[in-house]
Amino acid sequence: MILETANLSKRYGSILAADKITLQIEEGSAFGLLGPNGSGKTTTLGMVMSVLKPDSGWYKWFDSEPNSPVYKQIGCLLEVPNFFPYLSLKKNLEIIVRIREVEMSDINRVLDETGLINRKNSRFDTLSLGMKQRMAIAATLLGNPGVLVLDEPANGLDPEGIAEVRSLILRQRERGKTIIMASHILDEVEKVCTHVAVLKKGTVIASGEVDKLLQMDDVIIVSTDKPEILKAELESRVLVKSVIINGNSLEIIPAGGVDSAAINKLAYEKGIVLTELRIKKSTLEDQFLQLIK
Amino acid sequence: MLRLIKIEWAKVSSYNLFRVILIMTGSLFLLVLFVLSRIDISVPGFSTRNIVRFPNIWQSFVWVASWFNVLLAILVIVLTGNEFASKTFRQQVMSGLSRNEWLAGKGILIVGLALFGLILIILAALIYGVIFTRDMTLGLIFENSSILFVYFLQSIGYMVLGLLFITVLRSNALGIILYLLYFIFIEPITRLLCPVEVRGWFPVKIISHLTPIPEFLQLASQNGNLQTDNFSFESMGLIAKQLSQTVTLAMAVFYVILFSFLTWLVVRKKDL
């Protein structure tokens, strides 16, 4: 196991930022932490990277207690890039190289890989936001670590930059590295990750393989003058996975084997008049929104 | 150790403020020494030039250098505060530097800055001493030079206290302001409110008293070893009675250890 956490919790005053986070991440997998802003993704990564002290719970890297040599095998970008603004990219990376005790020649390799080789003597504070982000990714690659922890790696990038970063991460995945990536962008997680844990208000509300967890269900849209009654009937008969009322409309994700005809029949039997009944293809985004609602 | 020195050097060597403060410290120190060396009041049995002659020169130069220790402490505050502000401390921990190693790096920085001050004093004292002293012997040159160790300890004391302030406060502005306020108002006022017998035991009092104001009148006397207390500021009632030098030294070492330990606790416990 690359990373294992059990009941990791962290509170900031009255706010419970992470509540009993339990994860298991296997070698070679690309694991996404997916959730809206404030769901506890960064806090969770901060705790496992030893920069935040958990209030309770524990975590292990490579099946052993975390210590600083362990972190030399992990490349991490947490929140925004953190470098000395007055130093050049090369000098900043030299500091990381000395910390990790790897070869100085690696600096050129990672700058080349992230397209920053021509700016290696530029001061960090003269870079654009996108370049800073790429610089942070370059730092994570120093020493060719087996694990990459990336918190919102596409943050601040333009569409072209996002595509570049994505292909860079995918290249690392193809090389057998374990990727742990936090993002609030479903599309990013779906394109990069094999596994995902969905976080909401500091709690893991779902986890598993991306394909299974975010499978595309159809959504049945129904309009009626008695939405509350219909919702109660559907839920009492376990005909649905979830129902959301939106005015007089209901967005229904049916349970397995249930189709629109079954819902129409139920409404007829209960004397509920349907003014609309249609099927909408669900997107991954719909599934994600269903999960976090 | 060498690795930590290289890391710390990489951080500070290209930082303009670091260079500016070091150059400013050195320049101001040399300027004061130049002015001091130009004062030439001589009457039979008394010469101000004795202040810049061996062996008195060590005491007078160390005292002048001690004025600039606060500048070095402010430099430590700024360099460390920057690491909190730009979250580079956090980045280094994520990259595999332990919190203890980071703190050891700051220790190296402090010792390095104290050595800078020490070397500056030694070079200046040797140059001025050789220029102004007649009938030099090796014994005369190095007599009283043990005060250099005391300066070194004092310098470290000021900087370690600065390090404690900034690790607790994590803001350069707040760190510098409160550090200076502590020196100028907070501790002096607290001392005044305390019983007389306790006043001499406060940290800044102890650390600053390591290099007390030299008794210039005594130093300037013809043979430089006037044995009377008549010229002592203490006997004149100009300064309060102080603890003995040995007790002061022991207490200074105790405070340096205490501040270092408290800093270590804060660094170890706090989120980054």
Side-chain angles (χ1 to χ4, degrees), chain B residues 67-95:
Chain B
W67 304 350
F68 303 102
N69 278 334
V70 171
L71 265 182
L72 296 181
I74 287 173
L75 182 58
V76 169
I77 291 175
V78 172
L79 291 172
T80 311
N82 284 349
E83 295 225 34
F84 288 113
S86 55
K87 294 190 174 179
T88 48
F89 178 14
R90 172 171 157 147
Q91 181 67 47
Q92 290 161 60
V93 168
M94 291 189 302
S95 300

PDB file of all heavy atoms in Angstrom, chain B residues 67-95:
ATOM      1  N   TRP B  67      25.852  47.129  19.774  1.00  0.00           N
ATOM      2  CA  TRP B  67      24.724  47.981  19.352  1.00  0.00           C
ATOM      3  C   TRP B  67      24.035  47.389  18.126  1.00  0.00           C
ATOM      4  O   TRP B  67      22.839  47.583  17.929  1.00  0.00           O
ATOM      5  CB  TRP B  67      25.198  49.388  18.937  1.00  0.00           C
ATOM      6  CG  TRP B  67      25.980  50.153  19.946  1.00  0.00           C
ATOM      7  CD1 TRP B  67      26.175  49.837  21.273  1.00  0.00           C
ATOM      8  CD2 TRP B  67      26.696  51.368  19.716  1.00  0.00           C
ATOM      9  NE1 TRP B  67      26.968  50.783  21.864  1.00  0.00           N
ATOM     10  CE2 TRP B  67      27.305  51.739  20.943  1.00  0.00           C
ATOM     11  CE3 TRP B  67      26.879  52.186  18.618  1.00  0.00           C
ATOM     12  CZ2 TRP B  67      28.082  52.883  21.075  1.00  0.00           C
ATOM     13  CZ3 TRP B  67      27.650  53.336  18.742  1.00  0.00           C
ATOM     14  CH2 TRP B  67      28.248  53.676  19.969  1.00  0.00           C
ATOM     15  N   PHE B  68      24.807  46.720  17.299  1.00  0.00           N
ATOM     16  CA  PHE B  68      24.271  46.266  16.011  1.00  0.00           C
ATOM     17  C   PHE B  68      23.686  44.851  16.062  1.00  0.00           C
ATOM     18  O   PHE B  68      23.217  44.337  15.056  1.00  0.00           O
ATOM     19  CB  PHE B  68      25.363  46.364  14.939  1.00  0.00           C
ATOM     20  CG  PHE B  68      25.900  47.749  14.814  1.00  0.00           C
ATOM     21  CD1 PHE B  68      27.124  48.094  15.369  1.00  0.00           C
ATOM     22  CD2 PHE B  68      25.155  48.745  14.193  1.00  0.00           C
ATOM     23  CE1 PHE B  68      27.611  49.388  15.289  1.00  0.00           C
ATOM     24  CE2 PHE B  68      25.634  50.045  14.105  1.00  0.00           C
ATOM     25  CZ  PHE B  68      26.861  50.367  14.652  1.00  0.00           C
ATOM     26  N   ASN B  69      23.714  44.259  17.241  1.00  0.00           N
ATOM     27  CA  ASN B  69      23.137  42.919  17.375  1.00  0.00           C
ATOM     28  C   ASN B  69      21.644  42.913  17.079  1.00  0.00           C
ATOM     29  O   ASN B  69      21.110  41.929  16.563  1.00  0.00           O
ATOM     30  CB  ASN B  69      23.388  42.371  18.779  1.00  0.00           C
ATOM     31  CG  ASN B  69      24.780  41.779  18.905  1.00  0.00           C
ATOM     32  OD1 ASN B  69      25.360  41.339  17.911  1.00  0.00           O
ATOM     33  ND2 ASN B  69      25.323  41.774  20.105  1.00  0.00           N
ATOM     34  N   VAL B  70      20.986  44.008  17.415  1.00  0.00           N
ATOM     35  CA  VAL B  70      19.541  44.082  17.157  1.00  0.00           C
ATOM     36  C   VAL B  70      19.286  44.036  15.645  1.00  0.00           C
ATOM     37  O   VAL B  70      18.325  43.405  15.185  1.00  0.00           O
ATOM     38  CB  VAL B  70      18.931  45.349  17.795  1.00  0.00           C
ATOM     39  CG1 VAL B  70      17.495  45.545  17.365  1.00  0.00           C
ATOM     40  CG2 VAL B  70      19.000  45.250  19.308  1.00  0.00           C
ATOM     41  N   LEU B  71      20.176  44.678  14.880  1.00  0.00           N
ATOM     42  CA  LEU B  71      20.034  44.631  13.406  1.00  0.00           C
ATOM     43  C   LEU B  71      20.138  43.194  12.898  1.00  0.00           C
ATOM     44  O   LEU B  71      19.364  42.771  12.026  1.00  0.00           O
ATOM     45  CB  LEU B  71      21.144  45.466  12.756  1.00  0.00           C
ATOM     46  CG  LEU B  71      20.825  46.909  12.399  1.00  0.00           C
ATOM     47  CD1 LEU B  71      22.029  47.553  11.728  1.00  0.00           C
ATOM     48  CD2 LEU B  71      19.627  46.991  11.458  1.00  0.00           C
ATOM     49  N   LEU B  72      21.094  42.458  13.448  1.00  0.00           N
ATOM     50  CA  LEU B  72      21.257  41.052  13.030  1.00  0.00           C
ATOM     51  C   LEU B  72      20.027  40.234  13.433  1.00  0.00           C
ATOM     52  O   LEU B  72      19.574  39.362  12.685  1.00  0.00           O
ATOM     53  CB  LEU B  72      22.525  40.454  13.645  1.00  0.00           C
ATOM     54  CG  LEU B  72      23.854  41.083  13.209  1.00  0.00           C
ATOM     55  CD1 LEU B  72      25.036  40.386  13.876  1.00  0.00           C
ATOM     56  CD2 LEU B  72      24.024  41.017  11.691  1.00  0.00           C
ATOM     57  N   ALA B  73      19.485  40.550  14.618  1.00  0.00           N
ATOM     58  CA  ALA B  73      18.282  39.836  15.066  1.00  0.00           C
ATOM     59  C   ALA B  73      17.103  40.142  14.136  1.00  0.00           C
ATOM     60  O   ALA B  73      16.311  39.253  13.802  1.00  0.00           O
ATOM     61  CB  ALA B  73      17.943  40.232  16.501  1.00  0.00           C
ATOM     62  N   ILE B  74      17.004  41.400  13.705  1.00  0.00           N
ATOM     63  CA  ILE B  74      15.926  41.774  12.778  1.00  0.00           C
ATOM     64  C   ILE B  74      16.112  41.034  11.448  1.00  0.00           C
ATOM     65  O   ILE B  74      15.138  40.573  10.827  1.00  0.00           O
ATOM     66  CB  ILE B  74      15.880  43.299  12.582  1.00  0.00           C
ATOM     67  CG1 ILE B  74      15.311  43.934  13.867  1.00  0.00           C
ATOM     68  CG2 ILE B  74      15.034  43.704  11.375  1.00  0.00           C
ATOM     69  CD1 ILE B  74      15.350  45.438  13.899  1.00  0.00           C
ATOM     70  N   LEU B  75      17.350  40.858  11.039  1.00  0.00           N
ATOM     71  CA  LEU B  75      17.620  40.102   9.813  1.00  0.00           C
ATOM     72  C   LEU B  75      17.132  38.656   9.958  1.00  0.00           C
ATOM     73  O   LEU B  75      16.500  38.103   9.045  1.00  0.00           O
ATOM     74  CB  LEU B  75      19.124  40.134   9.506  1.00  0.00           C
ATOM     75  CG  LEU B  75      19.577  39.432   8.237  1.00  0.00           C
ATOM     76  CD1 LEU B  75      18.891  40.007   7.001  1.00  0.00           C
ATOM     77  CD2 LEU B  75      21.103  39.541   8.066  1.00  0.00           C
ATOM     78  N   VAL B  76      17.387  38.067  11.107  1.00  0.00           N
ATOM     79  CA  VAL B  76      16.912  36.695  11.360  1.00  0.00           C
ATOM     80  C   VAL B  76      15.384  36.655  11.313  1.00  0.00           C
ATOM     81  O   VAL B  76      14.783  35.747  10.730  1.00  0.00           O
ATOM     82  CB  VAL B  76      17.432  36.168  12.720  1.00  0.00           C
ATOM     83  CG1 VAL B  76      16.740  34.871  13.115  1.00  0.00           C
ATOM     84  CG2 VAL B  76      18.939  35.958  12.654  1.00  0.00           C
ATOM     85  N   ILE B  77      14.757  37.671  11.915  1.00  0.00           N
ATOM     86  CA  ILE B  77      13.291  37.735  11.915  1.00  0.00           C
ATOM     87  C   ILE B  77      12.770  37.801  10.476  1.00  0.00           C
ATOM     88  O   ILE B  77      11.858  37.066  10.099  1.00  0.00           O
ATOM     89  CB  ILE B  77      12.799  38.960  12.737  1.00  0.00           C
ATOM     90  CG1 ILE B  77      13.087  38.736  14.221  1.00  0.00           C
ATOM     91  CG2 ILE B  77      11.306  39.209  12.510  1.00  0.00           C
ATOM     92  CD1 ILE B  77      12.758  39.931  15.110  1.00  0.00           C
ATOM     93  N   VAL B  78      13.380  38.656   9.674  1.00  0.00           N
ATOM     94  CA  VAL B  78      12.909  38.828   8.290  1.00  0.00           C
ATOM     95  C   VAL B  78      13.123  37.557   7.469  1.00  0.00           C
ATOM     96  O   VAL B  78      12.214  37.076   6.779  1.00  0.00           O
ATOM     97  CB  VAL B  78      13.619  40.029   7.616  1.00  0.00           C
ATOM     98  CG1 VAL B  78      13.286  40.094   6.137  1.00  0.00           C
ATOM     99  CG2 VAL B  78      13.222  41.326   8.290  1.00  0.00           C
ATOM    100  N   LEU B  79      14.313  36.983   7.583  1.00  0.00           N
ATOM    101  CA  LEU B  79      14.618  35.776   6.789  1.00  0.00           C
ATOM    102  C   LEU B  79      13.697  34.624   7.176  1.00  0.00           C
ATOM    103  O   LEU B  79      13.216  33.883   6.315  1.00  0.00           O
ATOM    104  CB  LEU B  79      16.084  35.363   6.982  1.00  0.00           C
ATOM    105  CG  LEU B  79      17.131  36.296   6.371  1.00  0.00           C
ATOM    106  CD1 LEU B  79      18.534  35.892   6.802  1.00  0.00           C
ATOM    107  CD2 LEU B  79      17.040  36.295   4.855  1.00  0.00           C
ATOM    108  N   THR B  80      13.433  34.487   8.456  1.00  0.00           N
ATOM    109  CA  THR B  80      12.565  33.395   8.910  1.00  0.00           C
ATOM    110  C   THR B  80      11.103  33.714   8.596  1.00  0.00           C
ATOM    111  O   THR B  80      10.363  32.837   8.154  1.00  0.00           O
ATOM    112  CB  THR B  80      12.749  33.165  10.426  1.00  0.00           C
ATOM    113  OG1 THR B  80      14.143  33.072  10.708  1.00  0.00           O
ATOM    114  CG2 THR B  80      12.054  31.899  10.882  1.00  0.00           C
ATOM    115  N   GLY B  81      10.734  34.962   8.819  1.00  0.00           N
ATOM    116  CA  GLY B  81       9.351  35.373   8.536  1.00  0.00           C
ATOM    117  C   GLY B  81       9.002  35.164   7.070  1.00  0.00           C
ATOM    118  O   GLY B  81       7.888  34.751   6.738  1.00  0.00           O
ATOM    119  N   ASN B  82       9.965  35.441   6.187  1.00  0.00           N
ATOM    120  CA  ASN B  82       9.737  35.219   4.749  1.00  0.00           C
ATOM    121  C   ASN B  82       9.384  33.766   4.468  1.00  0.00           C
ATOM    122  O   ASN B  82       8.594  33.459   3.576  1.00  0.00           O
ATOM    123  CB  ASN B  82      10.998  35.576   3.959  1.00  0.00           C
ATOM    124  CG  ASN B  82      11.186  37.069   3.827  1.00  0.00           C
ATOM    125  OD1 ASN B  82      10.283  37.841   4.141  1.00  0.00           O
ATOM    126  ND2 ASN B  82      12.358  37.481   3.394  1.00  0.00           N
ATOM    127  N   GLU B  83       9.979  32.879   5.220  1.00  0.00           N
ATOM    128  CA  GLU B  83       9.736  31.447   4.977  1.00  0.00           C
ATOM    129  C   GLU B  83       8.315  31.041   5.387  1.00  0.00           C
ATOM    130  O   GLU B  83       7.746  30.105   4.835  1.00  0.00           O
ATOM    131  CB  GLU B  83      10.769  30.602   5.725  1.00  0.00           C
ATOM    132  CG  GLU B  83      12.173  30.818   5.204  1.00  0.00           C
ATOM    133  CD  GLU B  83      12.938  29.529   5.015  1.00  0.00           C
ATOM    134  OE1 GLU B  83      12.326  28.517   4.656  1.00  0.00           O
ATOM    135  OE2 GLU B  83      14.153  29.546   5.237  1.00  0.00           O
ATOM    136  N   PHE B  84       7.787  31.768   6.366  1.00  0.00           N
ATOM    137  CA  PHE B  84       6.384  31.512   6.726  1.00  0.00           C
ATOM    138  C   PHE B  84       5.458  32.189   5.714  1.00  0.00           C
ATOM    139  O   PHE B  84       4.473  31.601   5.286  1.00  0.00           O
ATOM    140  CB  PHE B  84       6.083  32.028   8.140  1.00  0.00           C
ATOM    141  CG  PHE B  84       6.707  31.206   9.224  1.00  0.00           C
ATOM    142  CD1 PHE B  84       7.718  31.722  10.020  1.00  0.00           C
ATOM    143  CD2 PHE B  84       6.298  29.907   9.453  1.00  0.00           C
ATOM    144  CE1 PHE B  84       8.308  30.963  11.016  1.00  0.00           C
ATOM    145  CE2 PHE B  84       6.880  29.131  10.460  1.00  0.00           C
ATOM    146  CZ  PHE B  84       7.881  29.668  11.240  1.00  0.00           C
ATOM    147  N   ALA B  85       5.802  33.439   5.362  1.00  0.00           N
ATOM    148  CA  ALA B  85       4.930  34.217   4.476  1.00  0.00           C
ATOM    149  C   ALA B  85       4.824  33.565   3.092  1.00  0.00           C
ATOM    150  O   ALA B  85       3.725  33.447   2.541  1.00  0.00           O
ATOM    151  CB  ALA B  85       5.458  35.638   4.352  1.00  0.00           C
ATOM    152  N   SER B  86       5.950  33.146   2.538  1.00  0.00           N
ATOM    153  CA  SER B  86       5.886  32.548   1.197  1.00  0.00           C
ATOM    154  C   SER B  86       5.736  31.028   1.259  1.00  0.00           C
ATOM    155  O   SER B  86       5.786  30.356   0.230  1.00  0.00           O
ATOM    156  CB  SER B  86       7.117  32.937   0.377  1.00  0.00           C
ATOM    157  OG  SER B  86       8.288  32.584   1.064  1.00  0.00           O
ATOM    158  N   LYS B  87       5.541  30.522   2.469  1.00  0.00           N
ATOM    159  CA  LYS B  87       5.284  29.091   2.700  1.00  0.00           C
ATOM    160  C   LYS B  87       6.397  28.190   2.160  1.00  0.00           C
ATOM    161  O   LYS B  87       6.140  27.049   1.781  1.00  0.00           O
ATOM    162  CB  LYS B  87       3.930  28.680   2.110  1.00  0.00           C
ATOM    163  CG  LYS B  87       2.756  29.341   2.813  1.00  0.00           C
ATOM    164  CD  LYS B  87       1.457  28.738   2.393  1.00  0.00           C
ATOM    165  CE  LYS B  87       0.314  29.300   3.215  1.00  0.00           C
ATOM    166  NZ  LYS B  87      -0.986  28.793   2.855  1.00  0.00           N
ATOM    167  N   THR B  88       7.596  28.716   2.104  1.00  0.00           N
ATOM    168  CA  THR B  88       8.698  27.873   1.630  1.00  0.00           C
ATOM    169  C   THR B  88       9.103  26.855   2.696  1.00  0.00           C
ATOM    170  O   THR B  88       9.612  25.789   2.367  1.00  0.00           O
ATOM    171  CB  THR B  88       9.915  28.740   1.248  1.00  0.00           C
ATOM    172  OG1 THR B  88      10.163  29.655   2.303  1.00  0.00           O
ATOM    173  CG2 THR B  88       9.664  29.509  -0.029  1.00  0.00           C
ATOM    174  N   PHE B  89       8.865  27.194   3.947  1.00  0.00           N
ATOM    175  CA  PHE B  89       9.120  26.226   5.026  1.00  0.00           C
ATOM    176  C   PHE B  89       8.280  24.972   4.764  1.00  0.00           C
ATOM    177  O   PHE B  89       8.768  23.842   4.804  1.00  0.00           O
ATOM    178  CB  PHE B  89       8.762  26.885   6.370  1.00  0.00           C
ATOM    179  CG  PHE B  89       8.932  26.009   7.588  1.00  0.00           C
ATOM    180  CD1 PHE B  89       9.635  24.814   7.551  1.00  0.00           C
ATOM    181  CD2 PHE B  89       8.396  26.410   8.809  1.00  0.00           C
ATOM    182  CE1 PHE B  89       9.801  24.026   8.689  1.00  0.00           C
ATOM    183  CE2 PHE B  89       8.551  25.628   9.951  1.00  0.00           C
ATOM    184  CZ  PHE B  89       9.241  24.437   9.880  1.00  0.00           C
ATOM    185  N   ARG B  90       7.020  25.215   4.453  1.00  0.00           N
ATOM    186  CA  ARG B  90       6.084  24.132   4.169  1.00  0.00           C
ATOM    187  C   ARG B  90       6.557  23.303   2.964  1.00  0.00           C
ATOM    188  O   ARG B  90       6.545  22.077   2.995  1.00  0.00           O
ATOM    189  CB  ARG B  90       4.733  24.784   3.914  1.00  0.00           C
ATOM    190  CG  ARG B  90       3.643  23.934   3.428  1.00  0.00           C
ATOM    191  CD  ARG B  90       2.420  24.811   3.485  1.00  0.00           C
ATOM    192  NE  ARG B  90       1.403  24.376   2.589  1.00  0.00           N
ATOM    193  CZ  ARG B  90       0.110  24.512   2.838  1.00  0.00           C
ATOM    194  NH1 ARG B  90      -0.280  25.075   3.942  1.00  0.00           N
ATOM    195  NH2 ARG B  90      -0.775  24.115   1.985  1.00  0.00           N
ATOM    196  N   GLN B  91       7.002  24.021   1.912  1.00  0.00           N
ATOM    197  CA  GLN B  91       7.466  23.329   0.708  1.00  0.00           C
ATOM    198  C   GLN B  91       8.677  22.446   1.026  1.00  0.00           C
ATOM    199  O   GLN B  91       8.786  21.318   0.526  1.00  0.00           O
ATOM    200  CB  GLN B  91       7.843  24.360  -0.361  1.00  0.00           C
ATOM    201  CG  GLN B  91       8.326  23.776  -1.677  1.00  0.00           C
ATOM    202  CD  GLN B  91       7.231  23.039  -2.437  1.00  0.00           C
ATOM    203  OE1 GLN B  91       6.121  23.543  -2.579  1.00  0.00           O
ATOM    204  NE2 GLN B  91       7.530  21.831  -2.879  1.00  0.00           N
ATOM    205  N   GLN B  92       9.555  22.968   1.875  1.00  0.00           N
ATOM    206  CA  GLN B  92      10.756  22.195   2.215  1.00  0.00           C
ATOM    207  C   GLN B  92      10.415  20.947   3.023  1.00  0.00           C
ATOM    208  O   GLN B  92      11.012  19.890   2.817  1.00  0.00           O
ATOM    209  CB  GLN B  92      11.732  23.075   2.994  1.00  0.00           C
ATOM    210  CG  GLN B  92      12.362  24.163   2.137  1.00  0.00           C
ATOM    211  CD  GLN B  92      12.944  25.280   2.971  1.00  0.00           C
ATOM    212  OE1 GLN B  92      13.827  25.064   3.776  1.00  0.00           O
ATOM    213  NE2 GLN B  92      12.438  26.476   2.795  1.00  0.00           N
ATOM    214  N   VAL B  93       9.453  21.071   3.923  1.00  0.00           N
ATOM    215  CA  VAL B  93       9.038  19.907   4.712  1.00  0.00           C
ATOM    216  C   VAL B  93       8.417  18.852   3.790  1.00  0.00           C
ATOM    217  O   VAL B  93       8.693  17.656   3.906  1.00  0.00           O
ATOM    218  CB  VAL B  93       8.053  20.324   5.837  1.00  0.00           C
ATOM    219  CG1 VAL B  93       7.395  19.112   6.483  1.00  0.00           C
ATOM    220  CG2 VAL B  93       8.794  21.136   6.897  1.00  0.00           C
ATOM    221  N   MET B  94       7.604  19.317   2.830  1.00  0.00           N
ATOM    222  CA  MET B  94       6.987  18.370   1.892  1.00  0.00           C
ATOM    223  C   MET B  94       8.036  17.715   0.998  1.00  0.00           C
ATOM    224  O   MET B  94       7.838  16.620   0.501  1.00  0.00           O
ATOM    225  CB  MET B  94       5.956  19.086   1.021  1.00  0.00           C
ATOM    226  CG  MET B  94       4.729  19.519   1.787  1.00  0.00           C
ATOM    227  SD  MET B  94       3.409  20.130   0.730  1.00  0.00           S
ATOM    228  CE  MET B  94       4.178  21.458  -0.136  1.00  0.00           C
ATOM    229  N   SER B  95       9.152  18.409   0.815  1.00  0.00           N
ATOM    230  CA  SER B  95      10.207  17.865  -0.047  1.00  0.00           C
ATOM    231  C   SER B  95      11.135  16.913   0.693  1.00  0.00           C
ATOM    232  O   SER B  95      12.022  16.325   0.087  1.00  0.00           O
ATOM    233  CB  SER B  95      11.033  19.001  -0.644  1.00  0.00           C
ATOM    234  OG  SER B  95      10.215  19.840  -1.408  1.00  0.00           O
TER     235      SER B  95
END
